Amino acid sequence: MSLWGGDQGAVPMMFGYGDEWWVLLVVPVFLWIPFGPLVMAGMGVWCALRPGRWPRLWSVLLPLLPVAVSAILVTLPADSWGRPGHTRDVVHYVLAYVGGLTVLPWLLGHGIARLTRALRARRGRTGSDRKGAPDMP
C-alpha cells in the first residue's frame, strides 16, 4: 500500500484515481461560469475601443478552451443522443453557456462602449449649452 491510497507504484493518485488528468480541462469550464461574463464584457469593451485584429482574435481565443471542452462534455458519448430529451439539453446548453455566458456579455460590453463613445463625441461637438452652439474659447 502506498501513500497515495493504493498499490500504484510510482504513479501518484489524485482524488483517489490515477488518471484524473482531465480535471485540468474541466476546471476552466467551471471557472467560466462566474468569471466568463465579466471577461467577455471586458473583451467587448476592448474591441469597441481598440478596433483591429488582435482584440477580435483574443475575443475568440480566450473562451475557446472552456467552451470547446464543455461542448465536448455535453455532446459525448455519442450513444446518449438516442436518449429522449438529449437534443433539448444540447440546445439549452448552447443558449445558456455559449449564448448567455459568452456571446451576450461580449455584445453588451461592445454595445455599451460604442454607445458611450458616440454620446461623448456628440456632446463634445454640440457644446455645453445644449443648443448646438460649440464652446468658444
Side-chain angles (χ1 to χ4, degrees):
M1 191 92 170
S2 74
L3 258 176
W4 301 101
D7 196 14
Q8 301 293 323
V11 178
M13 294 176 61
M14 198 163 70
F15 307 115
Y17 301 101
D19 59 348
E20 294 278 339
W21 59 269
W22 57 269
V23 169
L24 297 174
L25 295 175
V26 176
V27 167
V29 172
F30 292 119
L31 288 176
W32 193 251
I33 293 170
F35 300 117
L38 301 173
V39 169
M40 290 308 293
M43 295 301 289
V45 170
W46 186 34
C47 286
L49 299 179
R50 306 274 311 231
R53 177 178 297 155
W54 293 112
R56 283 171 177 62
L57 181 66
W58 277 107
S59 291
V60 172
L61 291 178
L62 193 66
L64 194 61
L65 177 71
V67 171
V69 169
S70 64
I72 290 169
L73 293 174
V74 166
T75 57
L76 291 180
D79 60 350
S80 67
W81 283 90
R83 184 176 50 85
H86 185 72
T87 305
R88 179 180 40 103
D89 292 343
V90 171
V91 169
H92 290 165
Y93 157 77
V94 169
L95 290 175
Y97 199 85
V98 176
L101 295 177
T102 306
V103 176
L104 182 64
W106 188 93
L107 289 172
L108 286 172
H110 187 76
I112 290 170
R114 297 273 310 243
L115 182 65
T116 303
R117 186 184 225 182
L119 290 175
R120 285 181 181 167
R122 183 176 173 195
R123 188 176 342 148
R125 279 194 311 264
T126 59
S128 59
D129 67 351
R130 305 273 186 217
K131 293 184 181 177
D135 289 335
M136 299 300 284

Coordinates of all heavy atoms in Angstrom, one line a residue, residues 13-48:
M13 N -1.6 9.4 -7.2 CA -3.1 9.4 -7.4 C -3.6 10.7 -7.0 O -3.2 11.3 -6.0 CB -3.7 8.3 -6.6 CG -3.4 6.9 -7.2 SD -4.1 5.6 -6.2 CE -5.8 5.9 -6.3
M14 N -4.6 11.2 -7.8 CA -5.2 12.5 -7.5 C -6.7 12.2 -7.2 O -7.3 11.6 -8.1 CB -5.0 13.5 -8.6 CG -5.2 14.9 -8.3 SD -4.6 16.0 -9.5 CE -5.6 15.7 -10.9
F15 N -7.2 12.6 -6.1 CA -8.6 12.4 -5.8 C -9.0 10.9 -5.8 O -10.1 10.5 -6.1 CB -9.6 13.1 -6.7 CG -9.3 14.6 -6.8 CD1 -8.8 15.1 -8.0 CD2 -9.4 15.4 -5.7 CE1 -8.5 16.4 -8.1 CE2 -9.1 16.7 -5.8 CZ -8.7 17.3 -7.0
G16 N -8.0 10.0 -5.5 CA -8.3 8.6 -5.4 C -8.2 7.8 -6.7 O -8.3 6.6 -6.8
Y17 N -7.9 8.5 -7.8 CA -7.7 7.8 -9.1 C -6.4 8.2 -9.7 O -6.0 9.3 -9.5 CB -8.9 8.1 -10.1 CG -10.2 7.7 -9.5 CD1 -11.1 8.7 -9.0 CD2 -10.6 6.4 -9.6 CE1 -12.3 8.3 -8.5 CE2 -11.9 6.1 -9.1 CZ -12.7 7.0 -8.5 OH -13.9 6.7 -8.0
G18 N -5.8 7.4 -10.5 CA -4.6 7.7 -11.1 C -4.7 8.4 -12.5 O -3.7 8.9 -13.0
D19 N -5.9 8.5 -13.0 CA -6.0 9.1 -14.4 C -6.9 10.3 -14.3 O -7.8 10.4 -15.2 CB -6.5 8.0 -15.4 CG -7.8 7.5 -15.0 OD1 -8.3 7.7 -13.8 OD2 -8.5 6.8 -15.8
E20 N -6.8 11.1 -13.4 CA -7.6 12.3 -13.2 C -7.0 13.5 -13.9 O -7.3 14.7 -13.5 CB -7.8 12.6 -11.8 CG -8.6 11.6 -11.0 CD -10.1 11.7 -11.3 OE1 -10.6 12.8 -11.6 OE2 -10.8 10.7 -11.1
W21 N -6.3 13.4 -15.0 CA -5.6 14.5 -15.7 C -6.7 15.4 -16.4 O -6.5 16.6 -16.6 CB -4.7 14.0 -16.8 CG -5.3 13.1 -17.7 CD1 -5.5 11.7 -17.7 CD2 -6.0 13.5 -18.9 NE1 -6.2 11.3 -18.8 CE2 -6.5 12.3 -19.6 CE3 -6.2 14.7 -19.6 CZ2 -7.2 12.4 -20.7 CZ3 -6.9 14.8 -20.7 CH2 -7.4 13.6 -21.3
W22 N -7.9 14.8 -16.7 CA -8.9 15.6 -17.4 C -9.5 16.7 -16.5 O -10.1 17.6 -17.0 CB -10.0 14.7 -17.9 CG -10.6 13.8 -16.8 CD1 -10.2 12.6 -16.4 CD2 -11.7 14.2 -16.0 NE1 -11.0 12.2 -15.4 CE2 -11.9 13.2 -15.1 CE3 -12.5 15.4 -15.9 CZ2 -12.9 13.2 -14.1 CZ3 -13.5 15.4 -15.0 CH2 -13.7 14.3 -14.1
V23 N -9.2 16.6 -15.2 CA -9.7 17.7 -14.3 C -9.1 19.0 -14.7 O -9.7 20.1 -14.6 CB -9.3 17.4 -12.8 CG1 -9.5 18.5 -11.9 CG2 -10.1 16.2 -12.4
L24 N -7.9 19.0 -15.3 CA -7.2 20.3 -15.7 C -8.0 20.9 -16.9 O -8.0 22.1 -17.1 CB -5.8 20.0 -16.2 CG -4.9 19.5 -15.1 CD1 -3.5 19.1 -15.6 CD2 -4.7 20.6 -14.0
L25 N -8.8 20.1 -17.6 CA -9.6 20.6 -18.7 C -11.0 21.1 -18.2 O -11.6 22.0 -18.8 CB -9.7 19.6 -19.8 CG -8.5 19.2 -20.6 CD1 -8.8 18.1 -21.5 CD2 -7.9 20.4 -21.3
V26 N -11.5 20.4 -17.2 CA -12.8 20.7 -16.7 C -12.8 21.9 -15.7 O -13.8 22.6 -15.7 CB -13.4 19.5 -16.0 CG1 -14.8 19.7 -15.4 CG2 -13.5 18.3 -17.0
V27 N -11.7 22.2 -15.0 CA -11.7 23.3 -14.1 C -12.0 24.6 -14.8 O -12.8 25.4 -14.3 CB -10.4 23.3 -13.4 CG1 -10.2 24.7 -12.6 CG2 -10.3 22.2 -12.4
P28 N -11.4 24.9 -16.0 CA -11.8 26.2 -16.7 C -13.2 26.3 -17.1 O -13.8 27.3 -17.1 CB -10.9 26.2 -18.0 CG -9.8 25.3 -17.6 CD -10.3 24.3 -16.7
V29 N -13.9 25.1 -17.3 CA -15.3 25.1 -17.6 C -16.1 25.7 -16.4 O -17.0 26.5 -16.6 CB -15.8 23.7 -18.0 CG1 -17.3 23.6 -18.1 CG2 -15.1 23.2 -19.3
F30 N -15.8 25.2 -15.2 CA -16.5 25.7 -14.0 C -16.1 27.1 -13.7 O -16.9 27.8 -13.1 CB -16.3 24.7 -12.9 CG -16.9 23.4 -13.1 CD1 -16.2 22.2 -13.1 CD2 -18.3 23.3 -13.3 CE1 -16.8 21.0 -13.4 CE2 -18.9 22.1 -13.5 CZ -18.1 20.9 -13.5
L31 N -14.9 27.5 -13.9 CA -14.5 28.9 -13.6 C -15.1 29.9 -14.6 O -15.2 31.0 -14.3 CB -12.9 29.0 -13.7 CG -12.2 28.4 -12.5 CD1 -10.7 28.5 -12.7 CD2 -12.6 29.0 -11.2
W32 N -15.4 29.4 -15.8 CA -16.0 30.2 -16.8 C -17.4 30.7 -16.4 O -17.9 31.8 -16.8 CB -16.1 29.5 -18.2 CG -16.4 30.4 -19.3 CD1 -17.5 30.5 -20.0 CD2 -15.5 31.4 -19.8 NE1 -17.4 31.4 -21.0 CE2 -16.2 32.0 -20.9 CE3 -14.2 31.9 -19.5 CZ2 -15.7 33.0 -21.7 CZ3 -13.7 32.9 -20.3 CH2 -14.4 33.5 -21.3
I33 N -18.1 29.9 -15.6 CA -19.5 30.3 -15.2 C -19.5 31.6 -14.4 O -20.3 32.5 -14.7 CB -20.1 29.1 -14.4 CG1 -20.3 27.9 -15.4 CG2 -21.5 29.5 -13.8 CD1 -20.7 26.6 -14.8
P34 N -18.7 31.8 -13.3 CA -18.8 33.0 -12.6 C -17.9 34.2 -13.3 O -18.3 35.3 -13.2 CB -18.2 32.7 -11.2 CG -17.3 31.6 -11.4 CD -17.9 30.8 -12.6
F35 N -16.8 33.8 -13.9 CA -15.9 34.8 -14.4 C -16.0 35.1 -15.9 O -15.5 36.1 -16.4 CB -14.5 34.5 -14.0 CG -14.2 34.4 -12.6 CD1 -13.8 33.2 -12.0 CD2 -14.5 35.4 -11.7 CE1 -13.6 33.0 -10.6 CE2 -14.3 35.3 -10.4 CZ -13.9 34.1 -9.8
G36 N -16.5 34.2 -16.6 CA -16.6 34.3 -18.1 C -17.4 35.5 -18.6 O -16.9 36.3 -19.5
P37 N -18.6 35.8 -18.0 CA -19.3 37.0 -18.5 C -18.5 38.3 -18.2 O -18.5 39.2 -19.0 CB -20.6 37.0 -17.7 CG -20.8 35.5 -17.3 CD -19.4 35.0 -17.1
L38 N -17.8 38.4 -17.1 CA -17.0 39.6 -16.8 C -15.9 39.7 -17.8 O -15.6 40.8 -18.3 CB -16.5 39.5 -15.4 CG -17.5 39.4 -14.3 CD1 -16.9 39.2 -12.9 CD2 -18.4 40.7 -14.3
V39 N -15.2 38.6 -18.1 CA -14.1 38.6 -19.0 C -14.6 39.0 -20.4 O -14.0 39.8 -21.1 CB -13.4 37.3 -19.0 CG1 -12.4 37.2 -20.2 CG2 -12.7 37.0 -17.7
M40 N -15.7 38.4 -20.8 CA -16.2 38.7 -22.2 C -16.8 40.1 -22.3 O -16.6 40.7 -23.4 CB -17.3 37.6 -22.6 CG -16.7 36.3 -22.8 SD -15.3 36.2 -23.9 CE -16.1 36.6 -25.5
A41 N -17.3 40.6 -21.3 CA -17.8 42.0 -21.3 C -16.6 42.9 -21.5 O -16.6 43.9 -22.3 CB -18.6 42.4 -20.1
G42 N -15.5 42.6 -20.8 CA -14.3 43.4 -20.9 C -13.7 43.3 -22.3 O -13.2 44.2 -22.9
M43 N -13.8 42.1 -22.9 CA -13.3 41.9 -24.3 C -14.1 42.7 -25.3 O -13.6 43.2 -26.2 CB -13.3 40.4 -24.6 CG -12.3 39.5 -23.8 SD -10.6 40.0 -23.9 CE -10.2 39.6 -25.5
G44 N -15.4 42.7 -25.0 CA -16.3 43.5 -25.9 C -15.9 45.0 -25.8 O -15.9 45.7 -26.9
V45 N -15.7 45.5 -24.6 CA -15.3 46.9 -24.5 C -13.9 47.1 -25.2 O -13.7 48.2 -25.9 CB -15.2 47.3 -23.0 CG1 -14.5 48.6 -22.8 CG2 -16.6 47.3 -22.4
W46 N -13.0 46.2 -25.0 CA -11.7 46.3 -25.7 C -11.8 46.4 -27.2 O -11.2 47.2 -27.9 CB -10.8 45.2 -25.2 CG -9.4 45.3 -25.7 CD1 -8.6 46.4 -25.9 CD2 -8.5 44.2 -26.0 NE1 -7.4 46.0 -26.3 CE2 -7.3 44.7 -26.4 CE3 -8.7 42.8 -26.1 CZ2 -6.2 43.9 -26.8 CZ3 -7.6 42.0 -26.4 CH2 -6.4 42.6 -26.8
C47 N -12.7 45.5 -27.7 CA -12.9 45.5 -29.2 C -13.6 46.8 -29.6 O -13.3 47.3 -30.8 CB -13.8 44.3 -29.6 SG -12.9 42.8 -29.5
A48 N -14.4 47.4 -28.8 CA -15.1 48.6 -29.2 C -14.2 49.8 -29.2 O -14.2 50.7 -30.0 CB -16.3 48.9 -28.3

